Amino acid sequence: MAPTELTEYERKRLDNIRRKDEMMAALKIHSMATELTALTKRHSHVTKSDKVPQKKPRNDTRVVKRQSLRTGGMPPDSKGVRKRLRMKQAYCREGSDRALIETIVGIGKKSRVGISNEAESGTDGFCKDGSLGVSGNEVAGSFSLDEPIKALRFFPCDSSRIIVAGNRLGSVGFWNLDHVIEEEDGIYRYRPHQSSISGISIHPHCLTKGRARGGLKIWDARTGNCTTQWSLHDEKINSIDFSSENPNIMATSSRDWTACIWDLRRIDADKPKTLKTVRHEATISFAYFSSSGKCLATTGYSGTIGITGGANFEETSFISHSNPSYTQVPISGVWGWDDSHLFVSSSKKRIDVIFLAQRNTSFALESPYLESAPMRLDAHPHNVGMLAGDTSWGRIYVWSLN
């Protein structure tokens, strides 16, 4: 079979290959490539074991595992935490406070709770014309806690006359008027806190127990936990009071110029709704129910007294109370022994008695011993005619109106 002749293109291609091989041979390209391949293979035979290992620096820092004291079976660290004090440890006067303790324990065992028959009748201590029958109109006694008083309460029992007061330095004073004899003054002073006493509460149904901004918390004494928390006001809450007729009805006063009445059974956590809202033209410092629980009085810096009543607290009226310095000192007050009258502080260094029917000051309680306007007032819930008040100088006074 005759060989096939090459085309012109194929002949040129073979000529180019031949000239390229002659050029590479002249430059020794092939021999250099062979030597480079051999050198690469020789270096690739060095194993990991031929390499010299480098020592890592020793780290002497030990890793400490955190462990709580509880899981380690150790007692908690109480350094810097003030432990619960016994009354004996907080007592600040010489002698013993045993007489006071025995009195309080005895009250818790035998004292009945509620308004006395004389208080319910609303007649003891009153004249036929409706005015208060005052004998002598004088201060029955006084004692001092040295600093301005921040809280003042009578023990709500019918078997004793004890006043409890707290000042701005954390001191609490008990004044047992039944122990005031020649040898004793009936005064017992304690220092249980490091700062101001903001409130004093004496459990009305068991006298052996005691009680951020616009918020209120419900504490369950049985479980020792906070069960509920509500935001009821836009500003600080100044006072809390409960109706004696229905303990589910609560009143609060606030720095947001309002006082509100609430039904604890119907407060929505997201949007609390009031039964009644009373608004003043300034901060409301006090909102307190009458002894029957059917009326609410509100006082503060506005120079007026608000009275709210009615079957559903739908009626509110205001009584103007002359108090030239009301922008600096709030009006404080307390209901008498029925729903007919109020005792209200006055900047004229006296206590004004206001009868709601007359809507003005009927008369005033004055004494040269009152060196300043009364700051807080409280009426003994069972001893009709006994009234306590304090001044900005830290002195507490007791009035006997019978």
Side-chain angles (χ1 to χ4, degrees):
M1 184 174 180
T4 305
E5 293 183 2
L6 298 176
T7 62
E8 183 65 22
Y9 170 77
E10 291 176 338
R11 286 195 297 270
K12 289 183 178 181
R13 176 176 174 272
L14 294 175
D15 292 339
N16 290 334
I17 292 174
R18 187 177 60 257
R19 284 196 296 270
K20 182 179 178 181
D21 291 338
E22 292 174 356
M23 184 181 299
M24 293 180 67
L27 295 175
K28 300 182 180 180
I29 295 298
H30 291 294
S31 60
M32 293 177 64
T34 303
E35 292 177 0
L36 182 59
T37 300
L39 181 63
T40 302
K41 290 181 179 180
R42 189 165 55 250
H43 281 285
S44 63
H45 288 298
V46 179
T47 61
K48 292 182 180 180
S49 58
D50 297 330
K51 297 180 180 179
V52 180
Q54 296 182 355
K55 294 184 178 180
K56 295 182 179 181
R58 183 177 179 181
N59 187 4
D60 294 332
T61 304
R62 297 181 180 180
V63 179
V64 180
K65 184 178 180 181
R66 299 187 64 181
Q67 186 176 13
S68 67
L69 296 176
R70 178 183 60 82
T71 57
M74 301 174 64
D77 184 9
S78 59
K79 184 179 180 180
V81 179
R82 188 169 184 175
K83 298 180 180 180
R84 179 178 296 181
L85 291 178
R86 299 174 63 89
M87 291 186 68
K88 182 179 179 180
Q89 295 173 304
Y91 191 52
C92 300
R93 301 193 72 187
E94 294 182 357
S96 173
D97 62 345
R98 189 63 189 174
L100 175 65
I101 296 175
E102 291 177 352
T103 300
I104 295 176
V105 172
I107 291 173
K109 291 180 179 180
K110 66 182 181 180
S111 179
R112 68 180 180 87
V113 177
I115 304 300
S116 62
N117 293 332
E118 292 82 0
E120 289 177 350
S121 64
T123 57
D124 189 17
F126 289 84
C127 299
K128 292 182 179 180
D129 60 358
S131 62
L132 200 63
V134 180
S135 59
N137 190 21
E138 284 295 334
V139 172
S142 67
F143 85 97
S144 176
L145 275 181
D146 302 329
E147 290 288 335
I149 304 297
K150 295 298 183 180
L152 179 72
R153 293 296 297 270
F154 269 107
F155 256 70
C157 60
D158 57 2
S159 62
S160 65
R161 300 175 300 169
I162 301 177
I163 300 171
V164 189
N167 68 12
R168 70 177 181 180
L169 294 184
S171 294
V172 176
F174 291 79
W175 187 14
N176 190 343
L177 299 174
D178 299 321
H179 286 180
V180 179
I181 56 179
E182 293 183 359
E183 295 81 7
E184 299 180 6
D185 54 12
I187 298 173
Y188 305 86
R189 184 167 178 171
Y190 301 84
R191 182 72 186 282
H193 298 281
Q194 298 293 336
S195 58
S196 178
I197 304 293
S198 60
I200 294 175
S201 178
I202 303 170
H203 200 291
H205 302 293
C206 182
L207 300 182
T208 59
K209 297 181 180 179
R211 103 178 126 160
R213 177 168 170 168
L216 181 139
K217 295 181 179 179
I218 302 297
W219 182 268
D220 191 337
R222 299 167 300 179
T223 63
N225 296 316
C226 176
T227 59
T228 309
Q229 181 174 355
W230 298 307
S231 179
L232 303 183
H233 289 271
D234 295 331
E235 297 289 344
K236 175 187 174 182
I237 294 177
N238 290 324
S239 69
I240 301 173
D241 195 27
F242 293 87
S243 169
S244 60
E245 184 182 46
N246 185 349
N248 291 307
I249 303 301
M250 178 184 70
T252 56
S253 67
S254 174
R255 199 165 56 183
D256 63 6
W257 298 12
T258 66
C260 299
I261 301 177
W262 312 86
D263 188 337
L264 296 178
R265 299 163 298 184
R266 302 175 182 176
I267 296 183
D268 190 338
D270 297 328
K271 295 181 179 180
K273 186 177 181 180
T274 67
L275 295 178
K276 180 68 176 182
T277 300
V278 180
R279 179 173 293 275
H280 284 235
E281 296 302 320
T283 293
I284 302 178
S285 301
F286 306 96
Y288 36 92
F289 287 103
S290 61
S291 58
S292 68
K294 297 179 180 179
C295 295
L296 180 76
T298 52
T299 58
Y301 288 85
S302 66
T304 58
I305 302 169
I307 304 296
T308 302
N312 297 309
F313 300 103
E314 69 276 4
E315 301 174 359
T316 300
S317 60
F318 294 92
I319 300 174
S320 178
H321 185 256
S322 178
N323 194 14
S325 61
Y326 71 83
T327 56
Q328 298 178 358
V329 179
I331 299 174
S332 62
V334 65
W335 287 94
W337 296 272
D338 59 18
D339 295 0
S340 66
H341 65 287
L342 290 164
F343 295 99
V344 181
S345 65
S346 172
S347 61
K348 298 178 181 179
K349 299 182 181 180
R350 70 187 192 189
I351 299 174
D352 292 337
V353 183
I354 299 178
F355 281 85
L356 271 60
Q358 301 171 3
R359 299 182 63 81
N360 57 19
T361 300
S362 299
F363 63 92
L365 304 177
E366 298 178 289
S367 173
Y369 297 104
L370 287 174
E371 70 270 18
S372 64
M375 300 296 293
R376 285 163 184 80
L377 301 171
D378 195 29
H380 198 298
H382 300 282
N383 196 329
V384 177
M386 179 162 286
L387 182 72
D390 66 80
T391 66
S392 59
W393 297 97
R395 182 164 290 277
I396 299 170
Y397 298 88
V398 175
W399 298 77
S400 181
L401 307 179
N402 291 331

